[in-house]
Amino acid sequence: MWISFWNWFVKITGWPVQKICFRTKIYYEDKSVQSRKIKGPAIIISNHTSVFDYAVWLFVFWGRTLRFQMAELLFKKKGLGILLRMLGGIYVNRNAHDFSFITKSENIIKKGGVVGVFPEARIPLPDEERPLEFKPSAAYLTILSGVPVIPVVTDGSYFNKKHANVIIGKPIDIYEITDSDLSDKENIEKVNEVLRNRIIELESFLNEKKSGCDKKEKN
C-alpha cells in the first residue's frame, strides 16, 4: 500500500520535472498489441544507458507500480537508497551469492505486480558492445513466473534539448520459447538469447523510427 502511495506521489509531483529533463517521445512496435497500459502481472526488460532509465519507465508506464531490480550501489547512497526503498526497489547485491531478489520478484509477480529488470546488470562502458551479455537471472525469473515479458528500449538522450526516445515492444510469450526436451540450463540459455536478441531488434527498430521522424521534420 505504502509503495503504491509513494509511487503515485513521485509521479504526480515529478511530472513537470520529467517533462523538462526527458521530453520522452514514445514509439511502439505494435500499439494494438502492447501500449503503455500493462494488464496483469508482467516482467519488463530494458537496455541500460543511465541511472535515470528507471525514472523514464516510471513515467512511461504511468498507470502501474513498477518494482525494478536495482544494484546495491544505488542503495548505499543514503538519500537515494531511502527513496528507492519507498518506491519498492528490489535490492540486488551483485557481489554476493544472494538470490533472494529472485524470490522477492516472483512473489511480487504472483500478487499481480510488474517487475522491471535490466538484464545487462550494469551500464556499458563507452567502448563496449551494446547491449552487454544478459545475466541469466532475468531468463530464470521469466521461466519461473511464466508471465509475459515486455521488452523496452531507451536511447538514453536525457537532460538536453532532444527528446528521450523510447520504444515499447510486443510481449514475449515464454511458453513459445521453452522446450520440455531441454534441460533447465539449456532453456535458460535459450530464453536469455531470445531476450537479448529482442532488445537488439528493438534498438534497430527505434533507430529506424527516429530516422523516419527526422526526415519528416526536415521536409
Side-chain angles (χ1 to χ4, degrees):
M1 179 180 176
W2 282 109
I3 289 174
S4 179
F5 169 80
W6 286 116
N7 267 265
W8 278 110
F9 178 80
V10 168
K11 288 176 183 179
I12 293 169
T13 57
W15 184 260
V17 178
Q18 66 89 24
K19 289 291 284 184
I20 296 170
C21 295
F22 304 138
R23 302 182 68 241
T24 310
K25 189 169 186 177
I26 303 171
Y27 298 92
Y28 303 90
E29 186 176 20
D30 187 342
K31 192 175 182 180
S32 66
V33 176
Q34 182 62 60
S35 65
R36 295 171 67 179
K37 295 181 180 179
I38 302 176
K39 298 179 180 178
I43 296 171
I44 292 175
I45 61 166
S46 170
N47 65 325
H48 209 2
T49 68
S50 163
V51 294
F52 296 101
D53 294 338
Y54 163 65
V56 171
W57 300 125
L58 188 72
F59 289 99
V60 167
F61 295 102
W62 171 266
R64 294 299 299 269
T65 295
L66 306 185
R67 304 287 301 276
F68 260 85
Q69 295 177 1
M70 300 175 181
E72 74 290 338
L73 286 175
L74 298 176
F75 289 92
K76 289 179 180 179
K77 298 178 180 180
K78 195 170 183 180
L80 179 60
I82 292 172
L83 176 62
L84 294 179
R85 285 186 175 89
M86 290 167 63
L87 293 173
I90 303 169
Y91 182 94
V92 180
N93 189 341
R94 299 169 298 177
N95 303 314
H97 295 289
D98 178 9
F99 299 101
S100 59
F101 69 95
I102 294 287
T103 302
K104 186 169 185 178
S105 299
E106 185 190 13
N107 289 336
I108 291 168
I109 292 168
K110 283 181 178 179
K111 294 177 182 177
V114 179
V115 169
V117 184
F118 297 109
E120 294 169 274
R122 65 175 176 86
I123 300 168
L125 298 174
D127 59 342
E128 289 183 307
E129 181 182 356
R130 302 188 181 205
L132 299 173
E133 291 299 319
F134 280 14
K135 299 297 183 182
S137 57
Y140 179 68
L141 178 62
T142 300
I143 295 171
L144 197 63
S145 65
V147 298
V149 179
I150 303 171
V152 294
V153 163
T154 172
D155 66 1
S157 180
Y158 312 143
F159 302 97
N160 57 48
K161 294 181 180 179
K162 296 180 180 180
H163 290 285
N165 297 282
V166 306
I167 187 165
I168 302 172
K170 295 183 289 186
I172 302 166
D173 185 348
I174 190 62
Y175 296 111
E176 294 181 355
I177 304 172
T178 52
D179 187 339
S180 58
D181 292 330
L182 298 178
S183 67
D184 290 344
K185 182 180 178 182
E186 289 172 326
N187 269 315
I188 288 173
E189 290 174 350
K190 183 179 181 181
V191 171
N192 210 29
E193 183 179 6
V194 169
L195 297 183
R196 185 171 182 271
N197 286 339
R198 285 293 289 120
I199 291 296
I200 293 172
E201 290 169 2
L202 272 185
E203 285 180 335
S204 177
F205 196 34
L206 177 60
N207 288 331
E208 290 176 12
K209 292 275 191 179
K210 286 163 57 179
S211 178
C213 285
D214 289 342
K215 289 179 181 178
K216 286 182 181 179
E217 289 176 3
K218 288 180 181 180
N219 293 333

